[in-house]
Amino acid sequence: MKLIQNIEDLSLAIQKHKSQGKRIGFVPTMGALHQGHLSLVEQAAQQADCVVVSIFVNPTQFNNKSDLANYPRTIEQDLEMLGQKPCDIVFHPNVSTMYPEDEIEYLDIDLGVLDNVMEGEHRPGHFAGVALVVHRLFNMVKPDIAFLGEKDFQQLAVIRSMVRQTNDPVQIVGCPTVREADGLAMSSRNVRLTPQHRAAAPQIRKALLGILRDKNTTTVAQAQQNALAALQAEPLFRVEYLEIVDKTTLLSAQSWDQPNGLVACVALWAGDVRLIDNILL
Ligand code: AMP
C-alpha cells in the first residue's frame, strides 16, 4: 500500500496502473475509518483491480466551523486499518493541494431539489462543497468506478447528479449501510457521543424500522408522525427532520405506492453530535 500526498505522485501511480490495463476503484472518505468505510474498500477490490482510498477532511462541505474543528482525525490508525485491506493507494492531500486558489469557485451545476430538502435545507452550502471536492478528486484519481455509502443517501443522489452534469467518466456504486450490533449506523462521529447519548442512539434505527412495520397498514403521514413522536420522546435527542421521500426525486411521498420506491431519512442531534440515518422502504 502506497501513501501519496501530492497530485504529481498520484498521477504517476495512477498512470502506471492504467497502462497495465487495470481498472481503478475509488473510495473517497474523510478518514476516522470504521467498518463501514472498510466495506466500501472490500467492494472496490471485488470490482476493480487497483483500489484508491482518499482521506481528506474537506473544509468546503462544513457549514459549521466547530463541526470541522471537532471532526475526528486518526490518520495513523486509518493507515493501519487500510494496510490490512486490499487497498493499493491512500491519497491524503492537504488543504492547499485540494484548494490552491485564493477564492474557491464552485461547480456550475444545478442540484435542484436535492439541494433544497433535508440535508440541503439544514446544511446550506454543504452539497456544493461535497460536489466540488468529489469532482476534483475524480479528476485526480481518474477512477473507473467509485464506491459510496447509502448511509449518506442524499449525498449519493447529489454525486450521481453531479457526475451526470459534469460528464465525469466514472460509474457510481451505492453500498449498503454497515451497523453496530445494536443497529446504530457506523459513523466517524459516533466516537464523540457521550455514554448516555451512545446508549440512546439505537432508538434511531428502531424508529426507522417502525416505519417499515407501519408501511401499508397506515398512511405515510401517520407512519412519519409515529416515528417522529418516538424520537421526540427521547429527551437526549433534538430532531432536525424525519422525512419519507421518493427514492429518486427526494420529494415528500404522499402514498406508499411510488414507482421509484421510498426512503425514510432522519437527522438529529444527540448532544453536540449530529447523526443521520435512513431506511429503504
Ligand atoms: P465519510 O468519511 O463520512 O465522508 O464517508 C466516506 C464514505 O463512506 C461515504 O461514501 C459514506 O457514505 C460511507 N459510509 C459512511 N458510513 C458508512 C456506513 N456505516 N456504512 C457504509 N458506508 C458508510
Side-chain angles (χ1 to χ4, degrees):
M1 186 179 82
K2 210 168 176 173
L3 172 64
I4 296 181
Q5 299 204 259
N6 68 69
I7 298 173
E8 294 71 30
D9 291 347
L10 178 68
S11 298
L12 283 174
I14 296 289
Q15 250 167 36
K16 192 174 133 216
H17 286 285
K18 288 212 178 225
S19 70
Q20 294 166 357
K22 292 187 180 168
R23 273 166 63 79
I24 310 289
F26 179 42
V27 180
T29 82
M30 297 206 296
L33 301 183
H34 50 66
Q35 291 302 322
H37 297 114
L38 298 183
S39 74
L40 304 186
V41 175
E42 302 277 8
Q43 270 292 322
Q46 278 177 22
Q47 295 188 48
D49 311 299
C50 166
V51 176
V52 181
V53 176
S54 65
I55 297 179
F56 178 63
V57 182
N58 173 35
T60 66
Q61 74 185 69
F62 284 83
N63 56 322
N64 177 323
K65 281 208 169 65
S66 75
D67 191 22
L68 173 60
N70 291 326
Y71 199 84
R73 290 161 170 88
T74 58
I75 185 69
E76 294 302 327
Q77 190 187 308
D78 293 348
L79 294 175
E80 177 88 29
M81 287 167 88
L82 289 173
Q84 294 167 31
K85 291 287 158 188
C87 171
D88 300 287
I89 297 173
V90 181
F91 181 47
H92 180 47
N94 56 35
V95 173
S96 61
T97 300
M98 291 308 295
Y99 298 112
E101 68 271 58
D102 294 331
E103 198 153 326
I104 291 165
E105 203 175 308
Y106 287 83
L107 301 180
D108 184 16
I109 57 173
D110 183 5
L111 297 172
V113 171
L114 300 184
D115 203 21
N116 296 330
V117 298
M118 301 191 293
E119 292 299 284
E121 183 184 350
H122 289 272
R123 302 184 70 186
H126 170 62
F127 285 133
V130 169
L132 179 63
V133 78
V134 173
H135 177 67
R136 287 191 177 184
L137 287 167
F138 283 174
N139 274 332
M140 294 170 186
V141 175
K142 302 192 178 4
D144 296 278
I145 173 162
F147 298 82
L148 297 152
E150 284 175 352
K151 153 91 176 10
D152 299 276
F153 193 85
Q154 194 169 357
Q155 168 173 281
L156 184 55
V158 163
I159 301 296
R160 288 190 200 281
S161 171
M162 181 275 283
V163 163
R164 270 196 302 275
Q165 294 181 62
T166 57
N167 292 315
D168 283 340
V170 55
Q171 180 194 343
I172 304 295
V173 175
C175 303
T177 302
V178 178
R179 299 176 179 281
E180 303 289 353
D182 60 14
L184 175 63
M186 288 192 185
S187 163
S188 304
R189 290 186 167 89
N190 290 352
V191 295
R192 296 190 47 242
L193 293 167
T194 66
Q196 291 77 13
H197 290 102
R198 175 63 188 83
Q203 292 180 60
I204 302 169
R205 172 72 172 164
K206 289 203 183 101
L208 293 175
L209 286 169
I211 299 178
L212 202 54
R213 271 197 309 276
D214 280 349
K215 190 180 170 189
N216 298 324
T217 62
T218 178
T219 62
V220 172
Q222 189 59 54
Q224 180 174 346
Q225 191 46 44
N226 292 347
L228 190 59
L231 293 174
Q232 284 172 338
E234 170 53 65
L236 292 174
F237 292 161
R238 188 169 61 76
V239 181
E240 258 187 11
Y241 65 80
L242 187 150
E243 305 263 4
I244 300 176
V245 299
D246 181 293
K247 226 174 96 183
T248 305
T249 65
L250 301 193
L251 288 169
S252 269
Q254 311 302 326
S255 83
W256 297 113
D257 184 24
Q258 303 259 340
N260 300 323
L262 300 176
V263 58
C265 300
V266 61
L268 59 76
W269 290 88
D272 65 354
V273 182
R274 189 173 184 277
L275 299 175
I276 61 170
D277 201 352
N278 64 76
I279 191 165
L280 297 172
L281 298 169

